[in-house]
């Protein structure tokens, strides 16, 4: 799966996909790229005819979800005073 397709799946999971133009603006992709990726996702069975996520897409998103988070913190940086 391409990065644009993954981004679009994530976008559809978090927002309602009302128009390809709005998704392109929100994601920063060209309208043609969003249209092509959406068509590819439908052909791969990740989106149904209404543009909603299928069970396979939800499973893929769950599999790619981060499991652990590492927070790095530093001191006050006294040398910068």
């Amino acid at each position: 799966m391409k990065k644009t397709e993954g981004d679009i799946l994530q976008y559809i999971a978090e927002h309602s996909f009302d128009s390809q133009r709005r998704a392109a603006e929100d994601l920063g992709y060209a309208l043609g790229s969003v249209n092509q990726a959406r068509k590819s996702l439908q052909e791969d069975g990740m989106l149904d005819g209404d543009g909603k996520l299928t069970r396979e897409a939800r499973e893929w998103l769950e599999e790619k979800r981060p499991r652990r988070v590492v927070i790095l913190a530093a001191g006050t940086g006294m040398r910068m005073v």
Side-chain angles (χ1 to χ4, degrees):
M1 180 176 297
K2 296 179 183 177
K3 181 179 179 345
T4 55
E5 293 172 355
D7 290 344
I8 290 172
L9 277 181
Q10 187 70 34
Y11 181 83
I12 293 172
E14 294 174 358
H15 304 89
S16 61
F17 194 82
D18 53 354
S19 75
Q20 294 176 6
R21 187 172 308 278
R22 173 139 174 122
E25 290 174 2
D26 290 347
L27 293 171
Y29 290 123
L31 182 59
S33 297
V34 172
N35 187 21
Q36 182 180 11
R38 186 169 185 231
K39 183 184 288 187
S40 176
L41 288 169
Q42 284 181 330
E43 290 172 357
D44 292 342
M46 300 296 246
L47 295 177
D48 63 8
D50 295 331
K52 297 186 180 178
L53 298 177
T54 61
R55 183 179 51 87
E56 183 179 344
R58 286 190 183 94
E59 289 173 359
W60 185 87
L61 286 170
E62 180 63 28
E63 179 182 306
K64 298 298 179 187
R65 184 177 59 89
R67 302 284 188 253
R68 296 183 186 145
V69 177
V70 176
I71 299 173
L72 300 175
T76 58
M78 294 303 292
R79 67 176 184 197
M80 300 302 243
V81 174

